[in-house]
Amino acid sequence: MKIDSEYGLVSGYAELEMLRRLDEMLVHRYNASGCRELVQTKYCGRHEQESAQRYAKWKATQPNTLKRRAETHEYDKTTREELHDGFYHSKQWRKVSQFVKERDGYIGAIDGKLYDDGELIVDHIIPRRLLDNRVAMLDASNLWLLNRRQHKHKTDIEAKMSDTKLKHLNKNWWKKILKEEN
């Protein structure tokens, strides 16, 4: 008998050598669809081919998804960089947006309807990118509640307008424009 630091009590050098070889082999029993073959890889021979076929079939459906994912990533980095600067995840923004929701009673500014929390977006009347500093970005007097559809419509209109004009548009002007859309 021999005591090994890694394996404990072994009967001799032959057993110790066998344990070391087994560790190197990393053999396990493949257990799928009744197959109990000993394997070193992830799949047995038969199931490896089936897995490769499933993967090829899946990958054939993915080019558009992968392309869309890359396009979305690029769009987010360039056009919607304001979402990625951490402002909308900051503790201050969460507190201010919750305050605005409670202040306005979860009622949409355009249609006066009561909405659930998840249906409302706290929106900057003057877009955040046009504001000078963080204090102005958190000013509750420049914030109001829009439902998702209204917010998208407002964002689409903003994209077509110059920054100088956007700076001077007020809440009443936006209400008039967004009500016409309803």
Side-chain angles (χ1 to χ4, degrees):
M1 295 300 254
K2 176 176 174 28
I3 296 178
D4 183 68
S5 60
E6 194 173 343
Y7 296 103
L9 187 63
V10 292
S11 60
Y13 289 106
E15 184 182 357
L16 185 59
E17 191 59 34
M18 182 182 72
L19 288 170
R20 287 189 178 138
R21 277 198 314 263
L22 283 173
D23 268 357
E24 288 173 9
M25 290 173 49
L26 295 175
V27 174
H28 65 279
R29 197 167 289 284
Y30 186 71
N31 188 20
S33 305
C35 180
R36 303 284 294 152
E37 194 174 320
L38 282 174
V39 294
Q40 286 180 298
T41 60
K42 190 173 181 179
Y43 301 104
C44 70
R46 189 183 96 210
H47 289 103
E48 188 169 21
Q49 288 177 340
E50 290 174 8
S51 174
Q53 289 170 351
R54 277 194 314 272
Y55 177 74
K57 194 176 185 180
W58 173 82
K59 192 164 176 139
T61 65
Q62 296 306 306
N64 291 337
T65 304
L66 297 174
K67 182 180 175 189
R68 241 182 283 123
R69 187 178 298 149
E71 289 170 353
T72 301
H73 179 71
E74 185 60 30
Y75 172 79
D76 284 349
K77 278 176 55 182
T78 55
T79 311
R80 298 187 57 162
E81 72 277 352
E82 63 194 28
L83 293 178
H84 298 283
D85 67 0
F87 175 80
Y88 291 110
H89 298 289
S90 70
K91 189 175 185 178
Q92 295 96 343
W93 172 252
R94 286 194 304 266
K95 283 183 176 182
V96 169
S97 63
Q98 186 61 39
F99 167 77
V100 170
K101 288 177 182 178
E102 290 172 5
R103 176 194 72 189
D104 295 351
Y106 293 88
I107 295 174
I110 305 303
D111 55 14
K113 292 181 182 176
L114 183 65
Y115 289 96
D116 289 336
D117 189 23
E119 297 171 331
L120 286 173
I121 295 176
V122 178
D123 178 61
H124 289 87
I125 298 166
I126 298 172
R128 187 173 79 95
R129 71 177 185 279
L130 303 178
L131 300 173
D132 298 332
N133 57 40
R134 195 170 181 93
V135 173
M137 293 176 195
L138 295 169
D139 181 13
S141 64
N142 185 40
L143 299 171
W144 63 344
L145 298 176
L146 299 177
N147 67 31
R148 294 184 177 281
R149 187 176 43 79
Q150 293 163 346
H151 183 262
K152 182 185 180 331
H153 185 61
K154 181 178 180 275
T155 304
D156 292 344
I157 293 171
E158 287 174 345
K160 297 173 186 172
M161 299 177 83
S162 70
D163 288 352
T164 51
K165 187 168 183 176
L166 279 173
K167 274 188 174 184
H168 300 290
L169 297 178
N170 63 22
K171 192 184 239 185
N172 293 329
W173 188 88
W174 279 113
K175 279 185 179 183
K176 180 182 164 198
I177 296 299
L178 294 174
K179 274 185 182 179
E180 289 175 4
E181 181 252 337
N182 287 333

